[in-house]
Amino acid sequence: MTAELTPPEAYQRFLSGDLERELPWEEVDRMSFVGAPGDVRAGIADEVGARTASLLELSHTVHAHPELNFEEHFAAATVADLVRAQGHDIEVGVWKLETAFRATVGSGHPHVAILAEYDALPDVGHGCGHNVICASAVGAFFAVAPFVERLGGRVSLIGTPAEEGGCGKEYIAREGGFDDVDAAIMVHPGKDDHTEARRVALRQVEVTYHGLSAHAASAPFMARNPLDAAVTAYQSISQLRQHMLPEERIHGIFTEAGKRPSVIPSRASAWYFLRSPTIPTIDHLTDRVEQILLSAADMTGTRAELRWDPYPMYMPVRSNRTLASRYIAAMSDRGRDTERVGTRQAGSTDLGNVSVRVPAIHPTIAITDRSIGGHSLAMAEAAISADADRAVVDAAIALARTAADVLADDSLLAAMRAEFEASGGVVDVPSYDR
Ligand SMILES: [Zn+2]
Ligand SMILES: [Zn+2]
């Protein structure tokens, strides 16, 4: 590969604003929608109110049984029991994922999907608070269900496994799970009430260097050292960091680095996450990192084996502001002032993969006012606090009202769709697999 001697085109396009075509909020403000009738809005709040105890029990029970990616059997079964107890059918084990589920009321279109997450993390359990996502989504489904027949269309509760690194929603999408969906909605807990906390693209690569082992003292000159290749690549990626966008991140660990100092190992491995705010820029970053990983093998006389995308790439979230405006209005009635633009934080979510297929929102709801980081024991503690319980109730109502608005108001549906098309339309995600 020859070095690029012109500035990266993807970065030029990013800086010129060409890659993020967002509908200006002023335009959203000029729109007005009727939404769902007043008695439906009031009825939704009553439905959630009548089920508060069981929703909070669900939140706390899921929290007490943290399960990792694709292993969320207890959570899926607990949701299924509750959904059946409320008189709805639910299928567990859909789209070839044992812990995915789907329950639907109504038929035809519009079709709103309310997404639940319920996976946890190693060491910190529900340190991402997905128990709150789960309970609020289930609550929203129960609350809107009695009104679906009257409003027309369909609402589904979709259980999406493995948000934390497994990209579960992409597997569901590839099995057609979002093909006939008109809008996908969910809410994530955090420190603030934000409409669109920025979430960036994420892609993974595993690299293994194959070398030649030898006695490290008596015959090191007979070896080809794969650990040298792994270290050289790690250091070169550190140098690359100075020349990336401020929003981009690369982080890696060594997963195999030999067993004894006296034996030059025959294999060494590393695992990296790459993040970038847009698809063209992560594609560019992918090329640069691949060049480094391969060159390190050349420099050390070893052989590199690269495995890109052991899980599918996470897409950046494209928040549909037309749809978000209905969520903001509902939250405002709950006394929550939802800030429109969130921090430009560099996390990622597989909701991004849904949001480049159908209009979607991924707002954040505050479950703590302390400055604690995500993925921490402190956040796990916050996820069953009184503030988190209030968030479950408010989010269930706001999501249900947003769904009802979409069912009731054709002009909202049309405007949402127009915004989606103007911001890039459907992205062919599998075409980015490496
Ligand atoms: Zn997380
Ligand atoms: Zn999360």
Side-chain angles (χ1 to χ4, degrees):
M1 202 185 295
T2 50
E4 287 177 49
L5 296 178
T6 54
E9 191 198 334
Y11 287 170
Q12 293 182 58
R13 290 180 63 200
F14 180 80
L15 292 174
S16 70
D18 179 35
L19 297 181
E20 293 180 306
R21 279 172 283 163
E22 291 163 334
L23 183 66
W25 278 109
E26 304 79 64
E27 278 189 45
V28 181
D29 289 341
R30 280 197 287 274
M31 303 176 188
S32 71
F33 302 104
V34 181
D39 65 307
V40 172
R41 291 184 215 165
I44 281 171
D46 292 344
E47 295 289 338
V48 173
R51 292 176 178 81
T52 300
S54 60
L55 295 175
L56 298 185
E57 191 188 337
L58 173 64
S59 173
H60 290 233
T61 304
V62 168
H63 187 278
H65 293 80
E67 297 168 301
L68 301 181
N69 278 349
F70 300 114
E71 294 170 6
E72 313 92 335
H73 296 279
F74 175 86
T78 304
V79 170
D81 287 348
L82 187 58
V83 169
R84 289 190 186 111
Q86 295 282 324
H88 300 288
D89 289 334
I90 184 167
E91 271 179 280
V92 180
V94 270
W95 305 298
K96 297 182 182 166
L97 297 174
E98 283 179 27
T99 54
F101 57 78
R102 172 181 52 196
T104 299
V105 286
S107 60
H109 291 271
H111 181 193
V112 179
I114 303 170
L115 308 189
E117 295 174 6
Y118 32 90
D119 58 323
L121 292 155
D123 303 329
V124 296
H126 274 287
C128 206
H130 292 185
N131 57 301
V132 172
I133 302 178
C134 180
S136 61
V138 170
F141 178 72
F142 291 159
V144 74
F147 305 101
V148 171
E149 193 180 342
R150 174 176 153 198
L151 298 172
R154 196 173 11 152
V155 175
S156 294
L157 171 68
I158 293 185
T160 66
E163 191 281 325
E164 297 289 358
C167 208
K169 294 181 190 62
E170 179 62 23
Y171 290 106
I172 293 174
R174 291 185 187 197
E175 290 299 315
F178 302 108
D179 282 359
D180 63 351
V181 167
D182 296 299
I185 60 177
M186 62 172 286
V187 59
H188 197 294
K191 197 184 81 58
D192 302 289
D193 291 296
H194 278 157
T195 310
E196 46 186 39
R198 300 298 182 130
R199 299 295 157 99
V200 300
L202 160 68
R203 123 175 294 162
Q204 308 179 35
V205 61
E206 295 168 353
V207 58
T208 299
Y209 291 102
H210 299 275
L212 200 55
S213 58
H215 194 297
S218 67
F221 40 82
M222 300 298 278
R224 290 279 189 274
N225 193 335
L227 184 56
D228 286 347
V231 169
T232 297
Y234 187 90
Q235 289 176 331
S236 301
I237 285 169
S238 297
Q239 291 175 354
L240 174 63
R241 285 201 185 93
Q242 189 186 355
H243 306 287
M244 309 187 318
L245 293 174
E247 297 89 345
E248 290 185 324
R249 300 281 186 277
I250 304 180
H251 21 267
I253 57 169
F254 293 111
T255 48
E256 195 178 348
K259 300 259 174 17
R260 288 179 72 81
S262 61
V263 181
I264 292 173
S266 60
R267 278 163 55 109
S269 304
W271 181 21
Y272 291 94
F273 281 13
L274 286 59
R275 301 186 203 246
S276 184
T278 72
I279 298 169
T281 51
I282 200 160
D283 235 28
H284 168 75
L285 198 61
T286 299
D287 288 341
R288 295 296 303 274
V289 169
E290 182 164 294
Q291 188 179 13
I292 288 170
L293 296 176
L294 294 175
S295 301
D298 283 347
M299 290 171 70
T300 52
T302 59
R303 181 170 63 81
E305 184 190 341
L306 268 58
R307 187 170 170 228
W308 285 101
D309 306 322
Y311 294 102
M313 179 156 87
Y314 284 58
M315 293 284 143
V317 171
R318 185 199 286 164
S319 180
N320 192 283
R321 290 180 171 175
T322 309
L323 182 57
S325 71
R326 303 311 302 173
Y327 171 88
I328 295 170
M331 275 300 183
S332 164
D333 288 352
R334 299 298 301 167
R336 284 183 189 263
D337 186 13
T338 304
E339 272 180 63
R340 287 175 163 188
V341 180
T343 53
R344 205 162 177 104
Q345 76 172 73
S348 308
T349 167
D350 59 5
L351 187 276
N353 299 50
V354 180
S355 76
V356 296
R357 289 174 162 100
V358 301
I361 55 169
H362 186 272
T364 304
I365 191 165
I367 60 167
T368 175
D369 53 11
R370 290 184 298 146
S371 278
I372 50 178
H375 292 191
S376 64
L377 286 171
M379 190 58 88
E381 199 179 296
I384 44 167
S385 63
D387 283 345
D389 290 351
R390 268 193 297 279
V392 167
V393 170
D394 289 346
I397 293 170
L399 290 175
R401 276 187 47 177
T402 305
D405 285 347
V406 175
L407 297 194
D409 192 335
D410 288 344
S411 66
L412 170 62
L413 186 66
M416 250 166 53
R417 194 72 218 172
E419 178 186 342
F420 179 80
E421 294 301 336
S423 59
V426 175
V427 172
D428 181 5
V429 180
S431 71
Y432 289 93
D433 288 351
R434 292 224 174 187

